[in-house]
Amino acid sequence: MMRRSTIALLLALAACTADADTGTSDGAGDAGDAADDDGAGDDSADDGATDGGQPDACEAEGRYGDGTCDGACALPDTDCFLFFDDHAAADEWFTGYEADLAASESRPPRALVDASDARFAAMRELLERGWASYAVERPVGALDRAPELVVIDDPGVNAFVAFDRGVEKIGWAVMVQTGLIELGASEPALLGVVMHELTHAVDRHVLPDAGERVLIHYQVAPGEPEPLGFEQEDEPIARAAVAAWRKLGGEAGPYPLAELHGIPTGSSSLMTRVFNATLQRAVAADPDACAAALDRIEPFNQFLNARISPLDGLLAPLDEPERAELDLLSGDFMAALRDPCTLASDLDLFPLIAELFGVTVDEVLAEFDPSDVELVEGLPIVDQIATLTDDRYRRMREVEAMLVEDTGLDTSSLRYFSTEEAADDSTVPVLAGMGFPPDAVGEFFLAILPPPTRAECADLLARGDVPPYGDLTDDHHAFCFRAYHVAALADRVAAPATAARAPHTARPDAAEAYRRAAGPRLPRFWRPGDDTRSAWLAPPRQGPPPWNR
Ligand SMILES: [Zn+2]
C-alpha cells in the first residue's frame, strides 16, 4: 500500500489552473470545530428573523454605520460594504481583484465586458429590477441602492460576489460571467441566480469570519419524505459525520476507494491541487518520460467517467470485477507516473504546498500535524501524495462504517443546510413577490445540466421523486436536487409544515469518535478564490476531466 498517486486530471497540461475559478468550496473547512458549537440555523435560515420584532442590539448600540463592520448584526451593516461611485469604479476595482485571482490560479486575467455591450445592458436591467424587489422582500438594512454589475468575459456559467481583503469589505457588486447570460435561461431563472448572489452579499456569507457555512445537519432514511433543511433540528451524529466527511473529502476527494491507489479526486481537493502541479511539472520537464503515464490516464478516466452519475456527481457502487479493473488501471497509471515520469523529480510535498499557496515552508510545517509529516517522510513526491490521500480515504470508509453502526444508515442519508441552500431558499419569496414562478431558479439548475441529464432530472421531478442529494463535499448540493428543493419550498409557502421528525440520538462519545476518525487537519492556506461565493462550485476552466468534478 505504498504506491498511490493522485489525480489524474490533467489533460490540459499546459495551462494549469488547478482550481475552480470562483471556487469556494470549503470542503476542507470546518471539521475541527464541528461538534462544539451549535450555531445552527439562526437568521440566515429564514427570511423573517431579522425583522421579527426582537430588539436589534446593533441598532440599540449604534453599531450600524459607525465605521466598523459588524458582520454578526441582524441586518447588513453598511460598514461591511465597499460602494462604488459608478460602474467604471466597480470595473476598476474588479480588475485589480481579478489580477490576484488569476495569479493564484496560474491563468491570465479575464477581460470585462463594456457597459455598452447588449449583454451588459440586459443583465443590468435585470439586476436593477431584481434589487428593487429583493429590498422589499428581504431585510437589507440601510443598503439603499442596487449593487453594481461587473460582466466577465468567460464562457463558464457562473456568477459570484467577493470580499476584498485589501479593504476588508464586501464589494457591493455582482459579478456575472458571459456564459451565464448566454445560457439562454429565462428572465426569472436569471433573476433567481442574481437573488442567490445578493443573499451571499446581503447576509454577509462572504465575510471571512461569517462562521460556519453548514448550519444544520440531519439524516433522511430511504423512503422517508425529504424535509426542508432550515426546518430541521441539528442532529449530533449527522453533524459529526458530515464534518468528518467534508474535511477528509476536501483533502483527498469524494471517492474513498482503496482501488484508487491513493489517486486524489475532486477538482478542488488539496491533494488534487498538489497532484496536478506535480504531474504538470514532470510532463514539462520530460514529456517522453511521462508519455506512458499520460497514455494510462485515458482508460482510467474513461472507467470512472462511465460510472459517475452526472445527476449527483457520485460514483456508482462498483461490483467485484469493476473493483479489480479499477485496481489494475490505477496501479498501472501510478506505476508509470512513479517511474519514469517523476523519477527525476525533486519535488517535496511541503515546499510544493508552500509554493502553491504562496507561504513559507515553515508556515506549512507549522500547520501540518506531526503524524502527517512522519507518514510521508523520505518518500518520493508521488508516494507522499498517494500515502496521505489513501490515509484520508481509509478514514472516510471508517466514518461510513461508524455511521452505519450508529444509525443504520450510510452516508447517502446525510443532509446539511448550508449558506448555499439558504441563498437558494431566499430566491423563492423574492421571485414570488415579482410575480414570477417562485421556483424559477430551478430552471437555471436544469439548464446548466447536459441535455441527457436534464431530461433524466425533468423525469424525476415530473414523477415527484426526490433526486439524489449530491456530493457532500460541495455545500451547493446537486443541481437536480436544488431544482427539486426550491419547488418543494415554493409549495411549502402555501402548505403547513410536516410533523416534526424524531432526530437520531447520539451515543455519548459519538462526536469524539468521528473527530478521531477525521484525523489531523491538513493545512488550508488562504487563496483569493476563497473570498468569493458563487452560484455553484465551478470546475476548473481547463484541466480535470468530468469524473473529477
Ligand atoms: Zn452560492
Side-chain angles (χ1 to χ4, degrees), residues 43 45-54 137-139:
D43 350 38
D46 76 14
D47 301 320
T50 49
D51 53 2
Q54 308 138 321
E137 299 292 338
R138 302 203 73 241

Side-chain angles (χ1 to χ4, degrees), residues 24 158-160 196-197 200 205 419-421 423-424 475-476 482 533-537:
T24 60
N158 217 340
F160 60 98
H196 177 109
E197 295 311 323
H200 280 326
H205 297 161
T419 51
E420 289 300 338
E421 187 172 318
D424 283 352
D475 57 1
H476 290 82
R482 293 170 78 182
R533 301 297 300 273
S534 55
W536 59 293
L537 181 58

